[in-house]
């Protein structure tokens, strides 16, 4: 499902809020499917495709990529998991599909074709309307109804006309209406700053699908310079924090409890510093790696070892903490988590499997699996509890969990779970660290 800015605020009842949100998403879903079915019938005429995709996007990516995006949007709308963030091209496509059918709806309405109107924008389900009116106290007794033309005092008006367009009762916050004509001037201004060595506080990759071809080509030319600026800023920030908070040790005695404490400290520092970092798993990993190095640890860069998940290529570990230049003491692997739907659980277990098995052919006994959790703060503890329950009942190939314990943290948004696994006669320890990144 797609969230709205007001998701959870329609009424004071969470179950009813979800039912309203589900109804909105089902309505959007019917429009996307209708658009796709009509496109399939017409074999995707270019002009029809341009209804919801920018011309340059079609030319650069082809019809197949556009159809994959439509299928992705359908999957998102059908899912139980609520998405609070969407790629800009997805938002753009959704806005244009809805507005396309709005125009058709208005034409049908002017012609008095009520049946066609109901196909484009069916009226609100009567049972849902009754629940909404009961929640708001809008129910009226028979004989006391006054024809005011206000849906708050006339339930039948909400049933017949409610939510009929994008500016309807619940639609105000469904989409960010991105004006494509403003994107190129905005990006061009940012590129001018980058060429002068300035940092821009926006992730320009977010807009890349909607840039014109000349602007996109100019951006590709400055992208290496932008990455260099981000790297220099991250290094300066890390050095500043290290000089303030961390005493560098030239010789580090390796101890797993001490290493756990230092990795948790690095994660807490990351939480307080992420506004100055470019968003992304690799950037967070690099930041933590540099903090550990300045703490005195011998930390490798990304290491090729073992097998990939497909077993057709060499696996790539985020980094290792080394006992000597050749012998690893512990493995560090990280991933992004956005919730606890089935795909996210599978994604997490896949990372855990790779950490214990694919990426660990020599049997390193200590591993750190750091999850950068993107969710609302009030959902963080619930998310961690769910992953704890998942770990308690999940075997990882031949690795059987036999002891799981929580490590107490003073901070609210950092959670550590130690899991011990038995494989044959060997014992392996995985520290699962969950770090809240943003809402």
């Amino acid at each position: 499902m797609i969230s709205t800015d007001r998701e959870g605020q329609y009424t004071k009842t969470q179950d009813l809020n979800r039912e309203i949100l589900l109804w909105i998403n089902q309505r959007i879903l019917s429009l996307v499917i209708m658009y796709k079915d009509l496109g399939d019938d017409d074999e995707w005429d270019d002009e029809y495709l341009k209804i919801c995709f920018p011309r340059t996007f079609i030319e650069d990516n082809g019809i197949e990529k556009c159809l994959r995006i439509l299928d992705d949007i359908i999957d998102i709308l059908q899912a139980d998991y609520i998405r609070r963030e969407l790629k800009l091209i997805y938002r753009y496509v959704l806005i244009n599909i809805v507005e396309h059918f709005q125009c058709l709806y208005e034409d049908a309405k002017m012609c008095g074709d009520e049946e066609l109107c109901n196909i484009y924008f069916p009226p609100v389900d009567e049972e849902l309307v009754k629940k909404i009116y009961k929640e708001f106290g809008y129910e009226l007794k028979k004989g006391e109804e006054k024809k005011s033309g206000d849906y708050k005092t006339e339930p039948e008006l909400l049933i017949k006309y409610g939510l009929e367009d994008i500016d309807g009762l619940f639609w105000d916050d469904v989409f960010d209406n991105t004006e494509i004509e403003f994107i190129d001037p905005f990006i061009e201004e940012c590129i001018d700053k980058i060429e002068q060595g300035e940092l821009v506080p926006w992730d320009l990759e977010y807009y890349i699908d909607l840039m014109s071809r000349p602007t996109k080509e100019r951006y590709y030319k400055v992208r290496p310079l932008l990455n260099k600026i981000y790297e220099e800023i991250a290094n300066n920030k890390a050095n500043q924090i290290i000089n303030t908070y961390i005493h560098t040790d030239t010789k580090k005695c390796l101890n797993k409890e001490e290493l756990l404490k230092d990795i948790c400290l690095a994660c807490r520092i990351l939480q307080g510093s992420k506004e100055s970092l470019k968003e992304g798993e690799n950037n967070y990993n690099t930041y933590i790696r540099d903090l550990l190095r300045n703490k005195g640890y011998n930390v490798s860069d990304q290491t090729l070892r073992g097998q990939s998940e497909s077993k057709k290529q060499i696996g790539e570990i985020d980094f290792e903490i080394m006992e000597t230049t050749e012998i690893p003491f512990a493995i560090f692997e990280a991933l992004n988590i956005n919730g606890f739907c089935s795909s996210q659980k599978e994604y997490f277990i896949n990372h855990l499997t790779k950490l214990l098995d694919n990426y660990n052919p020599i049997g390193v006994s200590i591993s750190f699996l750091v999850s950068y959790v993107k969710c609302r703060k009030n959902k963080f503890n619930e998310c961690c509890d769910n992953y704890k329950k998942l770990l308690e009942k999940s075997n990882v190939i031949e690795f059987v969990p036999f002891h799981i314990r929580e490590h107490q943290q003073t901070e609210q948004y950092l959670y550590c779970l130690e899991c011990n696994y038995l494989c044959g006669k060997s014992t392996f320890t995985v520290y699962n660290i969950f770090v809240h990144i943003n809402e």
Side-chain angles (χ1 to χ4, degrees):
M1 287 193 291
I2 300 172
S3 178
T4 76
D5 291 342
R6 297 191 301 168
E7 187 266 320
Q9 299 180 35
Y10 303 128
T11 73
K12 294 181 179 179
T13 306
Q14 288 300 315
D15 288 344
L16 181 54
N17 291 340
R18 187 175 180 87
E19 193 171 343
I20 292 170
L21 188 62
L22 180 62
W23 188 88
I24 292 172
N25 275 261
Q26 288 298 317
R27 164 177 249 199
I28 302 170
L29 175 64
S30 69
L31 297 181
V32 178
I33 292 175
M34 195 185 310
Y35 174 81
K36 191 169 184 295
D37 288 344
L38 290 172
D40 289 337
D41 292 341
D42 293 337
E43 297 184 351
W44 293 101
D45 175 79
D46 274 0
E47 291 304 314
Y48 183 73
L49 201 58
K50 289 175 187 175
I51 288 173
C52 62
F53 286 94
R55 176 180 59 82
T56 55
F57 185 88
I58 300 170
E59 292 173 354
D60 291 345
N61 296 278
I63 293 178
E64 291 303 317
K65 176 67 177 292
C66 296
L67 297 184
R68 283 201 301 272
I69 287 176
L70 290 171
D71 288 336
D72 286 347
I73 291 171
I74 290 171
D75 288 342
I76 290 169
L77 289 165
Q78 289 176 329
D80 291 333
Y81 172 64
I82 298 174
R83 298 282 188 96
R84 291 180 173 80
E85 295 180 6
L86 287 179
K87 290 181 179 179
L88 187 60
I89 185 66
Y90 288 18
R91 289 185 179 276
Y92 179 86
V93 169
L94 281 167
I95 291 166
N96 283 279
I97 287 177
V98 172
E99 290 183 342
H100 169 67
F101 282 107
Q102 256 185 257
C103 292
L104 296 179
Y105 170 87
E106 293 297 335
D107 291 344
K109 190 175 180 182
M110 288 179 62
C111 296
D113 192 341
E114 186 170 344
E115 183 177 347
L116 195 54
C117 286
N118 289 341
I119 291 174
Y120 294 139
F121 291 98
V124 188
D125 176 80
E126 187 170 352
E127 290 304 313
L128 178 57
V129 173
K130 289 179 181 178
K131 292 178 183 179
I132 294 171
Y133 270 71
K134 184 175 181 180
E135 179 72 19
F136 288 153
Y138 292 158
E139 284 188 316
L140 298 175
K141 296 179 181 178
K142 288 185 178 181
E144 297 180 10
E145 298 179 356
K146 296 179 181 179
K147 301 297 181 182
S148 64
D150 184 354
Y151 64 81
K152 291 184 179 181
T153 57
E154 296 181 48
E156 67 272 19
L157 290 181
L158 182 60
I159 296 170
K160 189 173 183 180
Y161 301 117
L163 303 175
E164 71 180 17
D165 58 32
I166 202 167
D167 299 317
L169 182 61
F170 300 121
W171 283 60
D172 294 348
D173 305 314
V174 174
F175 304 116
D176 292 331
N177 195 353
T178 303
E179 299 290 346
I180 190 170
E181 61 266 24
F182 295 128
I183 290 179
D184 275 1
F186 166 69
I187 299 298
E188 293 285 348
E189 183 180 342
C190 291
I191 291 173
D192 290 339
K193 292 181 179 180
I194 293 168
E195 289 176 339
Q196 299 298 319
E198 295 182 38
L199 171 69
V200 292
W202 300 281
D203 183 2
L204 302 188
E205 292 288 326
Y206 178 71
Y207 302 94
I208 199 165
D209 289 328
L210 300 187
M211 296 180 195
S212 68
R213 188 171 291 105
T215 301
K216 189 184 296 185
E217 290 173 354
R218 190 178 173 208
Y219 170 66
Y220 283 146
K221 291 179 181 178
V222 302
R223 188 159 56 177
L225 178 59
L226 179 61
N227 291 335
K228 186 177 180 181
I229 293 170
Y230 278 121
E231 186 177 340
E232 289 177 356
I233 290 173
N235 288 338
N236 291 337
K237 186 70 175 178
N239 289 334
Q240 178 184 347
I241 291 170
I242 288 159
N243 292 333
T244 305
Y245 298 104
I246 299 178
H247 301 290
T248 302
D249 298 327
T250 55
K251 293 182 180 180
K252 195 71 182 176
C253 180
L254 289 174
N255 174 281
K256 66 178 183 180
E257 294 294 334
E258 191 69 23
L259 177 57
L260 171 63
K261 187 190 306 180
D262 287 336
I263 289 178
C264 288
L265 173 60
C267 290
R268 289 196 293 271
I269 294 173
L270 170 68
Q271 285 176 315
S273 307
K274 88 174 181 64
E275 296 302 327
S276 62
L277 295 173
K278 187 177 181 182
E279 187 174 348
E281 178 187 321
N282 286 338
N283 294 302
Y284 299 156
N285 291 345
T286 300
Y287 192 69
I288 291 175
R289 181 202 66 190
D290 290 346
L291 289 172
L292 292 174
R293 281 179 176 171
N294 283 276
K295 183 74 172 169
Y297 290 98
N298 179 9
V299 183
S300 70
D301 292 311
Q302 283 188 326
T303 304
L304 295 176
R305 175 170 290 147
Q307 296 176 320
S308 65
E309 186 176 358
S310 67
K311 300 187 183 296
K312 295 180 180 180
Q313 298 176 345
I314 298 176
E316 188 173 49
I317 302 167
D318 284 334
F319 62 77
E320 293 175 314
I321 296 89
M322 306 300 293
E323 188 170 340
T324 69
T325 55
E326 297 180 353
I327 301 175
F329 177 76
I331 299 174
F332 181 101
E333 182 70 15
L335 71 156
N336 291 320
I337 285 177
N338 298 316
F340 193 69
C341 64
S342 57
S343 62
Q344 291 286 290
K345 289 188 286 187
E346 183 179 353
Y347 180 55
F348 178 85
I349 293 298
N350 284 344
H351 266 266
L352 180 60
T353 302
K354 289 187 290 185
L355 191 60
L356 285 168
D357 187 41
N358 300 55
Y359 293 176
N360 193 10
I362 64 175
V364 179
S365 62
I366 301 169
S367 300
F368 293 85
L369 183 58
V370 175
S371 299
Y372 304 121
V373 183
K374 295 184 178 182
C375 68
R376 292 185 176 180
K377 288 183 177 178
N378 63 351
K379 296 291 185 181
F380 178 71
N381 288 335
E382 178 184 340
C383 186
C384 293
D385 288 342
N386 286 332
Y387 278 100
K388 179 184 178 184
K389 293 174 184 175
L390 178 67
L391 287 166
E392 287 173 339
K393 63 181 182 181
S394 298
N395 288 8
V396 182
I397 309 179
E398 295 92 352
F399 296 81
V400 182
F402 69 91
H403 178 64
I404 297 177
R405 72 183 180 99
E406 296 181 8
H407 283 257
Q408 293 297 322
Q409 301 291 332
T410 56
E411 285 71 17
Q412 294 295 323
Y413 302 115
L414 187 71
Y415 178 76
C416 178
L417 197 65
E418 177 186 339
C419 297
N420 294 285
Y421 294 88
L422 194 63
C423 182
K425 294 183 179 180
S426 300
T427 302
F428 296 85
T429 300
V430 178
Y431 294 101
N432 298 272
I433 301 173
F434 297 86
V435 187
H436 184 266
I437 293 297
N438 63 5
E439 297 191 18

